[in-house]
Amino acid sequence: MASLVSCPHCGLRPKEEFTIRGAALRRPEPDASPEVWFEHVYLRDNPRGEHEEYWHHTAGCRRWLVVSRNTATHETGTVLDAAAHLKAETSA
Amino acid sequence: MRYSAFSIFRNALRGNRGWAPAWRMPDPKPHYDVIIVGGGGHGLATAYYLAKEFGIRNVAVVEKGYLGSGNVGRNTTIIRSNYLLAGNNPFYEFSLKLWEGLEQDLNFNAMVSQRGVLNLYHSDAQRDAYTKRGNAMRLHGVDAELLDRAAVRDMVPFLDFENARFPVMGGLLQRRGGTVRHDGVAWGYGRGADSLGVDIIQHCEVTGIRRENGRVTGVDTTRGFIGCSKLGLAAAGNSSRVAEMAGLKLPIESHVLQAFVSEGLKPFVDGVVTYGAGHFYISQSDKGGLVFGGDIDGYNSYAQRGNLATVEHVAEAGKAMMPALSRIRVLRSWGGIMDMSMDGSPIIDRTDLDNLYLNAGWCYGGFKATPASGYCFAHLLAHDAPHPTATAFRLDRFARGLMIDERGAGAQPNLH
Amino acid sequence: MPDRATPSMTPPANRLHRTVLSEAKPQESESIRIAPLPEGHVVEVLAKTTGADLRSNLESLTSKDTACPVRAGGPGQWFIVGNRPLSRSEMDVLLKSLEPKADCVDQSHGRIRIEIGGAKVEQVLAKGTAVDLALCAFPVGHATPTQIGHVSTHLTRTAQDNFEIMVLRGFAQSLWDEICLMAREYT
Amino acid sequence: MTSYRLSGGGLIDRSTPIGFSFDGRALEGYQGDTLASALLANGQQLVGRSFKYHRPRGILTAGSAEPNALLTVGTGPRTEPNTRATMQELYEGLEAKSQNRWPSLDFDAGALNGLLSPFLGAGFYYKTFMWPAPLWEKLYEPLIRRAAGLGKATRETDPDSYEKCWAHCDLLVIGSGPAGLAAALTAGRAGARVILIDEHSNAGGSLLSETAIIHGMGAQDFAARIASELASLDNVRILTRTTVFGWYDDNVFGAVERLQKHVSAPKAHLPVERLWRIVAKRALLATGSEERPLVFGGNDIPGVMMASAMRSFLNRHAVAPGKAVAIFTTNTSGYALARDLVAAGVNVEAIIDSRAEPEPVPGIEKIRVIKEGLVTEAKGGRALEAITIAHGGKSENLKADALAMSGGFSPIIHLACHRGGKPVWSEENSCFLAPQNRTGISLAGSVNGVDGIAACLNDGAVRAASLIQSLGFPVTAQEFGPVEGDMLCPPSPPLWSVPGSRGKAFVDFQNDVHTGDLDLAVREGYGDVELAKRYTTNGMATDQGKLSNVNAIGLLAEVRGLSPAEIGTTTFRPFYTPVSFGALTGTAHGGHFRPVRKSPLHDWAANNGAIFVETGLWYRSSWFTRDGETTWRQSVDREVLNVRRNAGICDVSMLGKIEIMGADAAEFLNRVYANGFLKLPVGKARYGLMLREDGHIFDDGTTSRLAEDRYFMTTTTAYAADVMSHLEFCAQVLWPDLDVRLTSVTDHWAQMAIAGPKARSILANIVDDDISNAAFPFLAAREVSLFGGKVAGRLFRISFSGELAFELAVPAGFGEATADAIMEAGRPHGIQPYGIEALSVLRIEKGHVTHNEINGTVVPADLGFGRMVSSRKPDFVGKHLINREGLVASDRLQLVGLIPVDPKARFRAGAHILKADDAATLENDQGYVTSVAYSPHVGSTIGLALVRRGFERLGEEVVAWNGLHNEVTRCHLCNPVFVDPDNERLHA
Ligand SMILES: Cc1cc2nc3c(=O)[nH]c(=O)nc-3n(C[C@H](O)[C@H](O)[C@H](O)COP(=O)(O)OP(=O)(O)OC[C@H]3O[C@@H](n4cnc5c(N)ncnc54)[C@H](O)[C@@H]3O)c2cc1C
Ligand SMILES: NC(=O)c1ccc[n+]([C@@H]2O[C@H](COP(=O)([O-])OP(=O)(O)OC[C@H]3O[C@@H](n4cnc5c(N)ncnc54)[C@H](O)[C@@H]3O)[C@@H](O)[C@H]2O)c1
Ligand SMILES: Cc1cc2nc3c(=O)[nH]c(=O)nc-3n(C[C@H](O)[C@H](O)[C@H](O)COP(=O)(O)O)c2cc1C
Ligand SMILES: [Zn+2]
């Protein structure tokens, strides 16, 4: 995608309703080493293919979403509320 | 074969059957002193200067597509050296100086045309920021002028001076800025490098980087393994992917930037004008098309194409700045993949692999850097030490907190 | 010590509340109607436990002087709206009554409501929002936040051919002008 | 009218003549004409000059692929260069001008280039114009620029309006030929939401040019009948005069509708163009096919035309192409034309067919057919006079004033390629077919390689049925009855180049690319199809190679000895045909470019004489002029002094305001701010520093604790939106386990600062509660009651100016009344409103920072806030990278004050700092001036600056260097607090 995102709360919406933050990274634990923090803030896998990203439905429900998107084809997969995504992750 | 009015004349009389190829189509040799990954502007310029300035001629440039198929062939061709920070400014001025003598050096007309770059400002804050930048330029002896509204109006009378939502207050002008014919740059450097013995190997994609005890031995490609003593990466939008082949993770995201060209017109805009109250910059190519662009789409992409929302966003800013664009028709839009770095500035440095060198992170500003980037990368490859104008473009600057952040946007690539 | 307020300083009741779209004149044609709604009350309700559905609780609390007084916002978020301004005490009662379940915020002065209706209402709104407005996709009572032009709004279908747009006060005039422009071909 | 117009037939209304002009000549056409058909009817074959060689050019096609007939239409601010005469409908008073010629179309000086053509081969300009270097900008380039380009655009402002619109549908059908009509009807009858789009003025596609009989009806009537049934279905929307220009991600299509490009006087209440963004569950491309030119010498002479175009002018516009017509074809297309020409009584000299054994076709028995024949040259200057034919080893000269050509057909697959798919060469169809990967879309009709009206009708119906079936619609296949008189056009082997061709044979007509250029490109190493395109500019003109690309590929294949499949195509990109800035912009231009955001106190400020300035989307009051004040400085100085002496009131409603609620709100704030917030007591406000995760300052502001679990945060105006999104990120993504809720209340509150020694006495008149220093000390923050209980407000004892000050927030609707009341209560105390200019002076005098200083590159320590950053907190945003070498380096830029040695001297923000006697070089740069103001309090210009090692250099003399303005000002570095360093006024 990048024309429309299907917000789990609002339905199909155009790109301009969103703010894109980028790679959906987990924030390290507070006591993590400086190296870990550096990597978190500055280094990116930047894959060609499947990519999980944070999108904010700024002009909509104002929820942060995790959008799975293919950076080569722009096809979108699942779109989850960030909270739901976290649960899914932690349970998995 | 030398190009000149005379050679054109002579060949014309022979039905133009006498022209020699601009470059050879060599098969890869088993081993090179230096392999450059990426046949874009930077890769080709690097090879050219390696051969010409540093006497290293056993060089190959491997390019996965056709020569110049990357960003060098799809950018809006603006060159300038109007930078604020000491880490940037001297480098880009060095580049502009190289542009100024390029045609004679290459014996190829890349149409370097310094018709000026005018950045508009619309508020006191913007004016002050441009004053700060312009003075940094002046301190380094770079030409810069701060124009007021009247002066801008004299230069470009058909901007919106009547009912603009964000009135034009003035602009920062660099007269030596301008445009260069994108393809001419790739072809000129390619032809120049080839004539000095460099092998330009097109349609040859690097698929792996072989390493033995901390050193690179060569690259696997779609045309087989090619050995090298030194490997230089100049893969622009694909830097992360190529570096990954050597186990490196970069402070880079790949983003798509779109560019546009209008139908061909008689002279409409002379120099380059950039809008200050939205994302828009425009110039006119010597073919007559208005070449313009704006902001990146904002999402990671390797697709070389963007979406309509951004197209409209760009057009809106364009008409807001220049109402007369309204009835002009946009002919074509395309996209390029840029290596957006974490501070908006490039990297020209060694890596923790002994003989692997990196040239990346050029964002949407690397075309103007082509000559200096090639020169400085060649310098690094040849001497293992950075060129004096490129000492700040270190890979470890993020870990050490020495970012070169012109915009102050922080570690958020799509904001640079 | 209310008496300390010298009467001269106290604005006359009729001048105390200045409405933002007071100048805007309603548009009316056979196919489209646009009118500003009274600056009554808008209460934003934020459920304390995510996923909790308070709609039923909320319905009972509305001053039923407008269509669809309870409107969904984001998840666990609703707006209670009404045409009549609530007195401080009324407002306090309303806020208190929900305290255990939700945090409530008085947005009465921060949100302006505009009504738009008529046979061509879908065509006109389609010039602003990307939301599919067909009745099958956007039934009566459905409400959603969406962008109209460049402005964030909250859209509610209050009848087959009638919508309400809620917008930040600061953008109200700008949005009003935009909507009139959108409707121009029918007015 | 002239003899080129047929007496009968065609979709024109002979009872409605339309007057128009071409290069100033008054001409007449009919309702239903295009500009092209009207010109042809008037015998005007020559319509333009080519790009490079200025060769005479005529009308080549009858559609959107037209490369030659590009005219400047309209006058004044409505001037439109490069308009395709073939797509421009005629309207009364239309003024058309030919382009790229001087002094006139008939006698064009530029034609000299034709003689120079050997020197102007592909890419010649890359090889010369290099000596002497200075001449490039001075001479060569200006000449090239003047020669290049086509039409001349107006620089006037467009008087017409545009708009954008969204549309949603189950099935989007692009193209209204037999395939498209059948598809739309099938889906429409099944009840699906259908949009049918065609770029022409009427639905029908090629049927409008057909003479076949469908279901007992003429093709044209058949099209009209289907169109009218579709129009009667309210689940179907037909958009004619609309071009789908791009296929984007998620099956979004961009289209532009030309509502008023065919009328004399556009109606003001309607847009001239409308941009559609169409969200289609499924889409069907029924876009037809493009006929390919043949590449032989002189194939560009006026009078040479595509066969199907000639047929279109004949059958649709009742225009005869000439008096003696020859037809050069590789397939039956030419025969269909011949049949119709004969039927219309036009004299056909011969059909030259490249094939050895063309299957015979009925209706043309009397016509001479030359088998295995080739046209090796077309002769003539501004009009075709004769052609040379080679057949059976001999060459023959034939007089003709019109020559039709058909080299076969290329499916119009552009849209299907816009999302990265590469077309595939089909040997048996001898054309490129659409890419395989195409989710969401499907193709029908001749774009799908289907031949014949009946087959296309059926294909359209079948494809549409399966598409909407996949969406769950029950469908019944549609029947369209028998088709008579349709001439099938099976693919025939392509004829890329014509052996023995003489003279320039053009491939790309508009860019003057001929076969020799492609040869040269290959010879010089530019043989890759993409390089050849760029080196020769083939396919880069306004028609984007609709006619030339495939021929160029065929020719490259021949020269390089490869197959077209191996050569491949160049990349198809939007726009299918060019789209105006106006359409892409809609209403968002001029004053409407971006919305306006107004403070609830806007009118109050206006009534008090405010001069407004745009800050972001807001309008803010800069200053308030008083009678007798002639310069802004006078007003600002007065406002500033009055705040310090008496009191002032300032609108600060634009500050971002965020309500933060929940049991963990305190913990939340403690993690988003760098300084501690856990211990902030109820009823108190605290200044807070927000960092980015990279340790730099993000934003600052004050946050007040209204209750145990409720806070009120203010942010800077500029960063209000970013801070809100950031907090939502923290709450929803980083710490979802915290019990906290946020919402923006910026617009609910009107907020005003009341500052100055008299502030308290004034407020006491409207605030019911006790606000004495004891009861309401510095940093107190509480809900208060106003006007004897009429209004509940929020009062904060905070100060940006450094004076005794309050910020009062009231519900926005009460803002103006409250401000009026404060002005009234303050009159005896001399209160005056002040704007952001004065506010800025006051805060600079006090050394308070804004985003001039917080410019994204500073860390707290740079501003002297080092101690604020908690070392005890285990975690907060920005904690973990703030101790990096570069961020703690001793030579960082640090915040200092700046004051000129000579009080009368001035300096500006953006000046750089140099050591007193250092040379002006970048190496010697010591920092820069961030904020500057004239301080009436100090009596001179003062400033804030970020200076290397600034803290330890107070008192040092430096220069503020401003080369841009030739200003070098000697200054002293000083403490940034210029007034009341001990904060006595603050606490008064
Ligand atoms: C739309 C757009 C507009 C721009 N406008 C401007 C502007 O106005 N001014 C300006 O200064 N800059 C501009 N830029 C930025 C500028 O174009 C780039 O920074 C610059 O061209 C990058 O250097 P390059 O030319 O070497 O990159 P490229 O030309 O992209 O070269 C990199 C090459 O590496 C090749 N490659 C990648 N991976 C492999 C592999 N595995 N094996 C072999 N080869 C590989 C690619 O095919 C490519 O050809 C713009 C960029 C874009 C996209
Ligand atoms: N003359 C010949 O020998 C020959 C050759 C090929 C096809 N044909 C015939 O032509 C007919 C083809 O029918 P069909 O329905 O497939 O196509 P069509 O050519 O009848 O209709 C296609 C329509 O789509 C429009 N169009 C194309 N791209 C568009 C876009 N991006 N936006 C808007 N409109 C667009 C065209 O203007 C045209 O009106 C058949 O009858 C076929 O036999 C004839
Ligand atoms: C400066 C510049 C000018 C261009 N001018 C034209 C033009 O006049 N006509 C055209 O069709 N394309 C033009 N293009 C776009 C190219 O055709 C092409 O789209 C672009 O180089 C990207 O390559 P791609 O589309 O093959 O991916 C221009 C590109 C650039 C960078
Ligand atoms: Zn949403």
Side-chain angles (χ1 to χ4, degrees), chain A residues 7 9-10 57 60-62:
Chain A
C7 172
H9 311 296
C10 308
H57 197 180
C61 60
R62 298 204 61 92

Side-chain angles (χ1 to χ4, degrees), chain B residues 3 40 118 121 158 267 279 307 314 332 352 391:
Chain B
Y3 291 160
L118 175 64
Y121 62 80
F158 53 105
H279 298 278
N307 275 285
V314 171
R332 186 174 172 102
D352 41 23
T391 53

Side-chain angles (χ1 to χ4, degrees), chain D residues 691-857:
Chain D
L691 307 187
R692 299 189 310 230
E693 203 66 273
D694 69 2
H696 295 82
I697 305 181
F698 173 45
D699 196 40
D700 67 348
T702 57
T703 292
S704 309
R705 191 169 201 167
L706 302 175
E708 264 314 307
D709 58 357
R710 189 175 276 251
Y711 292 79
F712 178 77
M713 173 188 285
T714 62
T715 75
T716 62
T717 304
Y719 278 63
D722 297 6
V723 169
M724 186 65 197
S725 303
H726 171 67
L727 294 187
E728 285 166 328
F729 183 78
C730 295
Q732 297 171 23
V733 181
L734 300 188
W735 308 303
D737 44 337
L738 292 185
D739 175 52
V740 58
R741 278 157 297 284
L742 323 152
T743 188
S744 165
V745 290
T746 304
D747 286 63
H748 178 72
W749 298 101
Q751 195 152 320
M752 50 211 101
I754 302 92
K758 316 269 182 67
R760 184 184 291 115
S761 343
I762 297 170
L763 274 181
N765 288 294
I766 66 162
V767 178
D768 304 335
D769 315 48
D770 175 5
I771 55 171
S772 65
N773 200 30
F776 207 87
F778 184 57
L779 292 180
R782 252 184 266 124
E783 173 163 327
V784 293
S785 143
L786 309 175
F787 309 124
K790 286 196 178 54
V791 170
R794 289 173 177 180
L795 190 64
F796 311 91
R797 174 109 181 251
I798 52 185
S799 172
F800 202 40
S801 58
E803 296 299 319
L804 161 65
F806 299 81
E807 283 188 13
L808 174 65
V810 298
F814 303 149
E816 292 188 53
T818 306
D820 290 340
I822 291 172
M823 285 297 285
E824 195 171 345
R827 192 167 298 116
H829 303 279
I831 195 171
Q832 295 177 8
Y834 63 103
I836 53 169
E837 288 296 337
L839 185 71
S840 165
V841 176
L842 291 160
R843 70 96 187 167
I844 294 171
E845 288 180 336
K846 186 66 183 175
H848 283 155
V849 296
T850 65
H851 279 286
N852 293 17
E853 288 71 34
I854 306 178
N855 60 18
T857 66

